[in-house]
Amino acid sequence: MPTKKKRPARKSEKPPPQRQRGTGKRPGARHAPVIRAPGPLQYKVVELSTVDEGALERTLNEWTSKGWNLDGVQFAMRESSKRPAMAFVFFTREGSPAEPDVDAARNRLLRMSETGSPTAALAAGQTQEHAAWAAPMVHPLSAHERLARLAGLDEPEPHEEGLTLEPEE
């Protein structure tokens, strides 16, 4: 079989674009990095129980407009679904953390000890609501008493706990 000669490749009429020196692989590599003096950071965590595009967008817009910087997002997944059940959005900003108000915390604890916590008050209110519409508590009857009532006996025999036998002489 005769062998075919390969044609020489055509050269394009356009020269290749000139590559700029000093550019890295990432965009913005030519710019000098902004170096800030290390300072304390404040952290903000926002929990989202409904995870969708709108909730994430609203959260990001709200907190970045208040001066917080997005640090990251962590999703909590369900085993039964590929959709996240919850999301935690982390924000940071420079500044010293707020000092805790010890006196206000102590006063709040004293108020809660006197009046109870809001959660306990809510639970008590729900218990009272439930008791209002729930069936009244009926004392359970033994099977013997129930049969006696069904049979129409006015006074069922008293229930004996156990018999004690006297020894024979």
mmCIF file of all heavy atoms in Angstrom, residues 41-81:
data_model
loop_
_atom_site.group_PDB
_atom_site.id
_atom_site.type_symbol
_atom_site.label_atom_id
_atom_site.label_comp_id
_atom_site.label_asym_id
_atom_site.label_seq_id
_atom_site.Cartn_x
_atom_site.Cartn_y
_atom_site.Cartn_z
ATOM 1 N N LEU A 41 -12.123 40.131 66.058
ATOM 2 C CA LEU A 41 -13.272 39.964 65.170
ATOM 3 C C LEU A 41 -14.518 39.660 65.991
ATOM 4 O O LEU A 41 -14.456 38.985 67.014
ATOM 5 C CB LEU A 41 -13.049 38.811 64.194
ATOM 6 C CG LEU A 41 -12.081 39.022 63.042
ATOM 7 C CD1 LEU A 41 -11.954 37.745 62.227
ATOM 8 C CD2 LEU A 41 -12.522 40.155 62.157
ATOM 9 N N GLN A 42 -15.616 40.160 65.523
ATOM 10 C CA GLN A 42 -16.915 39.788 66.066
ATOM 11 C C GLN A 42 -17.513 38.775 65.105
ATOM 12 O O GLN A 42 -17.346 38.891 63.889
ATOM 13 C CB GLN A 42 -17.842 40.994 66.152
ATOM 14 C CG GLN A 42 -17.531 41.949 67.254
ATOM 15 C CD GLN A 42 -18.561 43.063 67.288
ATOM 16 O OE1 GLN A 42 -18.967 43.572 66.256
ATOM 17 N NE2 GLN A 42 -18.976 43.445 68.477
ATOM 18 N N TYR A 43 -18.219 37.811 65.633
ATOM 19 C CA TYR A 43 -18.852 36.790 64.811
ATOM 20 C C TYR A 43 -20.366 36.872 64.978
ATOM 21 O O TYR A 43 -20.873 37.168 66.054
ATOM 22 C CB TYR A 43 -18.376 35.388 65.206
ATOM 23 C CG TYR A 43 -16.945 35.143 64.834
ATOM 24 C CD1 TYR A 43 -15.916 35.467 65.703
ATOM 25 C CD2 TYR A 43 -16.627 34.603 63.603
ATOM 26 C CE1 TYR A 43 -14.595 35.260 65.354
ATOM 27 C CE2 TYR A 43 -15.307 34.388 63.243
ATOM 28 C CZ TYR A 43 -14.301 34.712 64.121
ATOM 29 O OH TYR A 43 -13.003 34.498 63.775
ATOM 30 N N LYS A 44 -21.061 36.592 63.894
ATOM 31 C CA LYS A 44 -22.520 36.570 63.893
ATOM 32 C C LYS A 44 -22.947 35.291 63.193
ATOM 33 O O LYS A 44 -22.470 34.983 62.104
ATOM 34 C CB LYS A 44 -23.058 37.799 63.131
ATOM 35 C CG LYS A 44 -24.544 37.849 63.006
ATOM 36 C CD LYS A 44 -25.152 38.280 64.301
ATOM 37 C CE LYS A 44 -26.649 38.392 64.181
ATOM 38 N NZ LYS A 44 -27.252 38.512 65.484
ATOM 39 N N VAL A 45 -23.842 34.523 63.825
ATOM 40 C CA VAL A 45 -24.365 33.299 63.231
ATOM 41 C C VAL A 45 -25.867 33.470 63.063
ATOM 42 O O VAL A 45 -26.563 33.814 64.012
ATOM 43 C CB VAL A 45 -24.081 32.067 64.115
ATOM 44 C CG1 VAL A 45 -24.647 30.811 63.488
ATOM 45 C CG2 VAL A 45 -22.591 31.920 64.360
ATOM 46 N N VAL A 46 -26.351 33.251 61.843
ATOM 47 C CA VAL A 46 -27.781 33.348 61.554
ATOM 48 C C VAL A 46 -28.259 31.963 61.159
ATOM 49 O O VAL A 46 -27.707 31.339 60.254
ATOM 50 C CB VAL A 46 -28.058 34.363 60.418
ATOM 51 C CG1 VAL A 46 -29.542 34.428 60.118
ATOM 52 C CG2 VAL A 46 -27.519 35.727 60.789
ATOM 53 N N GLU A 47 -29.287 31.483 61.864
ATOM 54 C CA GLU A 47 -29.841 30.158 61.586
ATOM 55 C C GLU A 47 -31.060 30.305 60.686
ATOM 56 O O GLU A 47 -31.957 31.093 60.971
ATOM 57 C CB GLU A 47 -30.256 29.501 62.905
ATOM 58 C CG GLU A 47 -30.938 28.175 62.733
ATOM 59 C CD GLU A 47 -31.426 27.612 64.063
ATOM 60 O OE1 GLU A 47 -30.811 27.887 65.091
ATOM 61 O OE2 GLU A 47 -32.451 26.904 64.034
ATOM 62 N N LEU A 48 -31.071 29.568 59.591
ATOM 63 C CA LEU A 48 -32.208 29.574 58.670
ATOM 64 C C LEU A 48 -32.873 28.208 58.720
ATOM 65 O O LEU A 48 -32.254 27.199 58.389
ATOM 66 C CB LEU A 48 -31.750 29.867 57.244
ATOM 67 C CG LEU A 48 -31.097 31.219 56.991
ATOM 68 C CD1 LEU A 48 -30.624 31.316 55.551
ATOM 69 C CD2 LEU A 48 -32.056 32.329 57.302
ATOM 70 N N SER A 49 -34.144 28.180 59.139
ATOM 71 C CA SER A 49 -34.848 26.899 59.164
ATOM 72 C C SER A 49 -35.493 26.606 57.821
ATOM 73 O O SER A 49 -35.775 25.463 57.509
ATOM 74 C CB SER A 49 -35.892 26.887 60.275
ATOM 75 O OG SER A 49 -36.795 27.949 60.087
ATOM 76 N N THR A 50 -35.738 27.640 57.026
ATOM 77 C CA THR A 50 -36.224 27.467 55.661
ATOM 78 C C THR A 50 -35.075 27.825 54.725
ATOM 79 O O THR A 50 -34.636 28.965 54.700
ATOM 80 C CB THR A 50 -37.423 28.386 55.381
ATOM 81 O OG1 THR A 50 -38.436 28.107 56.335
ATOM 82 C CG2 THR A 50 -37.952 28.175 53.984
ATOM 83 N N VAL A 51 -34.597 26.835 54.001
ATOM 84 C CA VAL A 51 -33.446 27.064 53.141
ATOM 85 C C VAL A 51 -33.916 27.110 51.699
ATOM 86 O O VAL A 51 -34.268 26.093 51.113
ATOM 87 C CB VAL A 51 -32.377 25.952 53.311
ATOM 88 C CG1 VAL A 51 -31.163 26.254 52.473
ATOM 89 C CG2 VAL A 51 -31.995 25.815 54.769
ATOM 90 N N ASP A 52 -33.945 28.314 51.157
ATOM 91 C CA ASP A 52 -34.227 28.488 49.741
ATOM 92 C C ASP A 52 -33.476 29.729 49.280
ATOM 93 O O ASP A 52 -32.830 30.422 50.073
ATOM 94 C CB ASP A 52 -35.730 28.577 49.462
ATOM 95 C CG ASP A 52 -36.395 29.760 50.163
ATOM 96 O OD1 ASP A 52 -35.710 30.497 50.881
ATOM 97 O OD2 ASP A 52 -37.608 29.942 49.967
ATOM 98 N N GLU A 53 -33.550 29.977 47.995
ATOM 99 C CA GLU A 53 -32.800 31.081 47.403
ATOM 100 C C GLU A 53 -33.183 32.413 48.032
ATOM 101 O O GLU A 53 -32.332 33.230 48.363
ATOM 102 C CB GLU A 53 -33.067 31.104 45.897
ATOM 103 C CG GLU A 53 -32.353 32.201 45.157
ATOM 104 C CD GLU A 53 -32.699 32.193 43.680
ATOM 105 O OE1 GLU A 53 -33.445 31.318 43.221
ATOM 106 O OE2 GLU A 53 -32.216 33.102 42.996
ATOM 107 N N GLY A 54 -34.461 32.635 48.241
ATOM 108 C CA GLY A 54 -34.938 33.899 48.786
ATOM 109 C C GLY A 54 -34.470 34.140 50.208
ATOM 110 O O GLY A 54 -34.051 35.245 50.564
ATOM 111 N N ALA A 55 -34.536 33.104 51.060
ATOM 112 C CA ALA A 55 -34.116 33.255 52.453
ATOM 113 C C ALA A 55 -32.621 33.545 52.548
ATOM 114 O O ALA A 55 -32.195 34.410 53.324
ATOM 115 C CB ALA A 55 -34.456 31.992 53.243
ATOM 116 N N LEU A 56 -31.835 32.836 51.753
ATOM 117 C CA LEU A 56 -30.383 33.091 51.758
ATOM 118 C C LEU A 56 -30.081 34.502 51.256
ATOM 119 O O LEU A 56 -29.258 35.221 51.836
ATOM 120 C CB LEU A 56 -29.662 32.053 50.892
ATOM 121 C CG LEU A 56 -29.542 30.659 51.492
ATOM 122 C CD1 LEU A 56 -29.084 29.671 50.434
ATOM 123 C CD2 LEU A 56 -28.586 30.666 52.656
ATOM 124 N N GLU A 57 -30.752 34.908 50.202
ATOM 125 C CA GLU A 57 -30.526 36.230 49.615
ATOM 126 C C GLU A 57 -30.898 37.338 50.598
ATOM 127 O O GLU A 57 -30.152 38.292 50.786
ATOM 128 C CB GLU A 57 -31.362 36.340 48.340
ATOM 129 C CG GLU A 57 -30.979 37.486 47.441
ATOM 130 C CD GLU A 57 -31.748 37.397 46.134
ATOM 131 O OE1 GLU A 57 -31.464 36.485 45.336
ATOM 132 O OE2 GLU A 57 -32.639 38.247 45.935
ATOM 133 N N ARG A 58 -32.063 37.200 51.234
ATOM 134 C CA ARG A 58 -32.489 38.213 52.210
ATOM 135 C C ARG A 58 -31.516 38.312 53.369
ATOM 136 O O ARG A 58 -31.163 39.398 53.820
ATOM 137 C CB ARG A 58 -33.892 37.887 52.737
ATOM 138 C CG ARG A 58 -35.015 38.253 51.798
ATOM 139 C CD ARG A 58 -36.368 38.100 52.467
ATOM 140 N NE ARG A 58 -36.619 36.745 52.946
ATOM 141 C CZ ARG A 58 -37.112 35.762 52.208
ATOM 142 N NH1 ARG A 58 -37.397 35.967 50.934
ATOM 143 N NH2 ARG A 58 -37.317 34.564 52.722
ATOM 144 N N THR A 59 -31.051 37.167 53.863
ATOM 145 C CA THR A 59 -30.120 37.152 54.993
ATOM 146 C C THR A 59 -28.808 37.819 54.619
ATOM 147 O O THR A 59 -28.285 38.649 55.370
ATOM 148 C CB THR A 59 -29.869 35.709 55.452
ATOM 149 O OG1 THR A 59 -31.126 35.119 55.791
ATOM 150 C CG2 THR A 59 -28.946 35.667 56.648
ATOM 151 N N LEU A 60 -28.268 37.465 53.461
ATOM 152 C CA LEU A 60 -27.000 38.061 53.026
ATOM 153 C C LEU A 60 -27.139 39.567 52.839
ATOM 154 O O LEU A 60 -26.289 40.343 53.291
ATOM 155 C CB LEU A 60 -26.525 37.405 51.729
ATOM 156 C CG LEU A 60 -26.065 35.959 51.853
ATOM 157 C CD1 LEU A 60 -25.784 35.376 50.479
ATOM 158 C CD2 LEU A 60 -24.843 35.860 52.724
ATOM 159 N N ASN A 61 -28.208 40.007 52.184
ATOM 160 C CA ASN A 61 -28.394 41.441 51.956
ATOM 161 C C ASN A 61 -28.602 42.198 53.258
ATOM 162 O O ASN A 61 -28.077 43.300 53.435
ATOM 163 C CB ASN A 61 -29.579 41.682 51.011
ATOM 164 C CG ASN A 61 -29.260 41.270 49.588
ATOM 165 O OD1 ASN A 61 -28.106 41.276 49.175
ATOM 166 N ND2 ASN A 61 -30.272 40.906 48.847
ATOM 167 N N GLU A 62 -29.346 41.605 54.179
ATOM 168 C CA GLU A 62 -29.620 42.284 55.444
ATOM 169 C C GLU A 62 -28.351 42.497 56.266
ATOM 170 O O GLU A 62 -28.078 43.599 56.736
ATOM 171 C CB GLU A 62 -30.628 41.465 56.262
ATOM 172 C CG GLU A 62 -30.905 42.044 57.634
ATOM 173 C CD GLU A 62 -31.807 41.147 58.480
ATOM 174 O OE1 GLU A 62 -32.373 40.178 57.940
ATOM 175 O OE2 GLU A 62 -31.935 41.423 59.677
ATOM 176 N N TRP A 63 -27.555 41.445 56.429
ATOM 177 C CA TRP A 63 -26.407 41.540 57.328
ATOM 178 C C TRP A 63 -25.207 42.216 56.680
ATOM 179 O O TRP A 63 -24.411 42.855 57.374
ATOM 180 C CB TRP A 63 -26.060 40.169 57.889
ATOM 181 C CG TRP A 63 -27.125 39.737 58.843
ATOM 182 C CD1 TRP A 63 -28.126 38.837 58.611
ATOM 183 C CD2 TRP A 63 -27.349 40.241 60.157
ATOM 184 N NE1 TRP A 63 -28.945 38.744 59.707
ATOM 185 C CE2 TRP A 63 -28.488 39.604 60.672
ATOM 186 C CE3 TRP A 63 -26.691 41.167 60.952
ATOM 187 C CZ2 TRP A 63 -28.980 39.858 61.937
ATOM 188 C CZ3 TRP A 63 -27.183 41.422 62.216
ATOM 189 C CH2 TRP A 63 -28.311 40.776 62.697
ATOM 190 N N THR A 64 -25.040 42.093 55.374
ATOM 191 C CA THR A 64 -23.933 42.817 54.743
ATOM 192 C C THR A 64 -24.209 44.312 54.707
ATOM 193 O O THR A 64 -23.284 45.114 54.776
ATOM 194 C CB THR A 64 -23.647 42.298 53.315
ATOM 195 O OG1 THR A 64 -24.850 42.336 52.555
ATOM 196 C CG2 THR A 64 -23.086 40.893 53.352
ATOM 197 N N SER A 65 -25.489 44.710 54.636
ATOM 198 C CA SER A 65 -25.801 46.139 54.676
ATOM 199 C C SER A 65 -25.544 46.721 56.064
ATOM 200 O O SER A 65 -25.373 47.920 56.212
ATOM 201 C CB SER A 65 -27.253 46.381 54.260
ATOM 202 O OG SER A 65 -28.142 45.865 55.233
ATOM 203 N N LYS A 66 -25.518 45.868 57.089
ATOM 204 C CA LYS A 66 -25.229 46.317 58.450
ATOM 205 C C LYS A 66 -23.734 46.299 58.758
ATOM 206 O O LYS A 66 -23.339 46.513 59.904
ATOM 207 C CB LYS A 66 -25.957 45.434 59.460
ATOM 208 C CG LYS A 66 -27.462 45.590 59.407
ATOM 209 C CD LYS A 66 -28.125 44.673 60.417
ATOM 210 C CE LYS A 66 -29.639 44.793 60.346
ATOM 211 N NZ LYS A 66 -30.312 43.879 61.282
ATOM 212 N N GLY A 67 -22.906 46.016 57.760
ATOM 213 C CA GLY A 67 -21.461 46.056 57.958
ATOM 214 C C GLY A 67 -20.812 44.723 58.245
ATOM 215 O O GLY A 67 -19.618 44.663 58.531
ATOM 216 N N TRP A 68 -21.543 43.630 58.163
ATOM 217 C CA TRP A 68 -20.978 42.306 58.404
ATOM 218 C C TRP A 68 -20.461 41.727 57.093
ATOM 219 O O TRP A 68 -21.024 41.961 56.033
ATOM 220 C CB TRP A 68 -22.043 41.382 58.989
ATOM 221 C CG TRP A 68 -22.463 41.765 60.375
ATOM 222 C CD1 TRP A 68 -23.461 42.603 60.713
ATOM 223 C CD2 TRP A 68 -21.870 41.325 61.591
ATOM 224 N NE1 TRP A 68 -23.539 42.709 62.078
ATOM 225 C CE2 TRP A 68 -22.572 41.933 62.638
ATOM 226 C CE3 TRP A 68 -20.817 40.470 61.906
ATOM 227 C CZ2 TRP A 68 -22.259 41.719 63.972
ATOM 228 C CZ3 TRP A 68 -20.513 40.260 63.232
ATOM 229 C CH2 TRP A 68 -21.221 40.879 64.251
ATOM 230 N N ASN A 69 -19.393 40.941 57.159
ATOM 231 C CA ASN A 69 -18.802 40.279 55.992
ATOM 232 C C ASN A 69 -19.135 38.794 56.046
ATOM 233 O O ASN A 69 -18.995 38.157 57.095
ATOM 234 C CB ASN A 69 -17.279 40.457 55.978
ATOM 235 C CG ASN A 69 -16.897 41.909 55.921
ATOM 236 O OD1 ASN A 69 -17.437 42.670 55.137
ATOM 237 N ND2 ASN A 69 -15.969 42.306 56.784
ATOM 238 N N LEU A 70 -19.525 38.251 54.900
ATOM 239 C CA LEU A 70 -19.860 36.828 54.838
ATOM 240 C C LEU A 70 -18.610 36.006 55.095
ATOM 241 O O LEU A 70 -17.571 36.207 54.466
ATOM 242 C CB LEU A 70 -20.450 36.476 53.467
ATOM 243 C CG LEU A 70 -20.761 34.997 53.245
ATOM 244 C CD1 LEU A 70 -21.873 34.538 54.176
ATOM 245 C CD2 LEU A 70 -21.142 34.759 51.808
ATOM 246 N N ASP A 71 -18.708 35.071 56.026
ATOM 247 C CA ASP A 71 -17.583 34.196 56.338
ATOM 248 C C ASP A 71 -17.810 32.794 55.785
ATOM 249 O O ASP A 71 -16.861 32.125 55.408
ATOM 250 C CB ASP A 71 -17.379 34.146 57.855
ATOM 251 C CG ASP A 71 -16.093 33.458 58.245
ATOM 252 O OD1 ASP A 71 -15.049 33.802 57.674
ATOM 253 O OD2 ASP A 71 -16.139 32.564 59.103
ATOM 254 N N GLY A 72 -19.057 32.354 55.735
ATOM 255 C CA GLY A 72 -19.322 31.028 55.189
ATOM 256 C C GLY A 72 -20.756 30.615 55.449
ATOM 257 O O GLY A 72 -21.484 31.253 56.208
ATOM 258 N N VAL A 73 -21.152 29.510 54.816
ATOM 259 C CA VAL A 73 -22.493 28.951 54.989
ATOM 260 C C VAL A 73 -22.328 27.459 55.237
ATOM 261 O O VAL A 73 -21.569 26.786 54.536
ATOM 262 C CB VAL A 73 -23.380 29.173 53.737
ATOM 263 C CG1 VAL A 73 -24.760 28.581 53.942
ATOM 264 C CG2 VAL A 73 -23.483 30.643 53.400
ATOM 265 N N GLN A 74 -23.015 26.949 56.262
ATOM 266 C CA GLN A 74 -22.976 25.521 56.582
ATOM 267 C C GLN A 74 -24.400 24.983 56.479
ATOM 268 O O GLN A 74 -25.315 25.547 57.071
ATOM 269 C CB GLN A 74 -22.441 25.318 58.000
ATOM 270 C CG GLN A 74 -22.350 23.882 58.426
ATOM 271 C CD GLN A 74 -21.247 23.135 57.717
ATOM 272 O OE1 GLN A 74 -20.164 23.667 57.533
ATOM 273 N NE2 GLN A 74 -21.514 21.928 57.319
ATOM 274 N N PHE A 75 -24.583 23.911 55.729
ATOM 275 C CA PHE A 75 -25.905 23.330 55.536
ATOM 276 C C PHE A 75 -26.051 22.080 56.396
ATOM 277 O O PHE A 75 -25.118 21.288 56.507
ATOM 278 C CB PHE A 75 -26.133 22.961 54.070
ATOM 279 C CG PHE A 75 -26.164 24.155 53.159
ATOM 280 C CD1 PHE A 75 -25.058 24.513 52.419
ATOM 281 C CD2 PHE A 75 -27.308 24.927 53.071
ATOM 282 C CE1 PHE A 75 -25.082 25.618 51.597
ATOM 283 C CE2 PHE A 75 -27.343 26.038 52.249
ATOM 284 C CZ PHE A 75 -26.225 26.385 51.511
ATOM 285 N N ALA A 76 -27.219 21.911 56.989
ATOM 286 C CA ALA A 76 -27.558 20.702 57.739
ATOM 287 C C ALA A 76 -28.508 19.889 56.872
ATOM 288 O O ALA A 76 -29.566 20.373 56.490
ATOM 289 C CB ALA A 76 -28.217 21.061 59.067
ATOM 290 N N MET A 77 -28.106 18.676 56.572
ATOM 291 C CA MET A 77 -28.862 17.856 55.631
ATOM 292 C C MET A 77 -29.736 16.840 56.353
ATOM 293 O O MET A 77 -29.451 16.447 57.476
ATOM 294 C CB MET A 77 -27.890 17.102 54.705
ATOM 295 C CG MET A 77 -26.906 17.989 53.974
ATOM 296 S SD MET A 77 -27.681 19.174 52.887
ATOM 297 C CE MET A 77 -28.259 18.107 51.605
ATOM 298 N N ARG A 78 -30.792 16.417 55.666
ATOM 299 C CA ARG A 78 -31.625 15.310 56.119
ATOM 300 C C ARG A 78 -31.121 14.049 55.437
ATOM 301 O O ARG A 78 -30.609 14.095 54.330
ATOM 302 C CB ARG A 78 -33.074 15.524 55.699
ATOM 303 C CG ARG A 78 -33.789 16.580 56.453
ATOM 304 C CD ARG A 78 -35.286 16.513 56.098
ATOM 305 N NE ARG A 78 -35.970 17.626 56.689
ATOM 306 C CZ ARG A 78 -36.430 18.674 56.029
ATOM 307 N NH1 ARG A 78 -36.280 18.746 54.728
ATOM 308 N NH2 ARG A 78 -37.050 19.640 56.652
ATOM 309 N N GLU A 79 -31.329 12.924 56.086
ATOM 310 C CA GLU A 79 -30.924 11.667 55.455
ATOM 311 C C GLU A 79 -31.859 11.293 54.314
ATOM 312 O O GLU A 79 -31.453 10.690 53.349
ATOM 313 C CB GLU A 79 -30.911 10.541 56.489
ATOM 314 C CG GLU A 79 -29.771 10.650 57.474
ATOM 315 C CD GLU A 79 -29.732 9.467 58.414
ATOM 316 O OE1 GLU A 79 -30.265 8.399 58.069
ATOM 317 O OE2 GLU A 79 -29.155 9.621 59.497
ATOM 318 N N SER A 80 -33.121 11.684 54.446
ATOM 319 C CA SER A 80 -34.120 11.247 53.473
ATOM 320 C C SER A 80 -34.232 12.165 52.259
ATOM 321 O O SER A 80 -34.973 11.873 51.339
ATOM 322 C CB SER A 80 -35.490 11.172 54.153
ATOM 323 O OG SER A 80 -35.844 12.451 54.649
ATOM 324 N N SER A 81 -33.511 13.292 52.253
ATOM 325 C CA SER A 81 -33.661 14.246 51.163
ATOM 326 C C SER A 81 -32.312 14.839 50.800
ATOM 327 O O SER A 81 -31.409 14.921 51.628
ATOM 328 C CB SER A 81 -34.621 15.359 51.601
ATOM 329 O OG SER A 81 -34.674 16.363 50.626
#
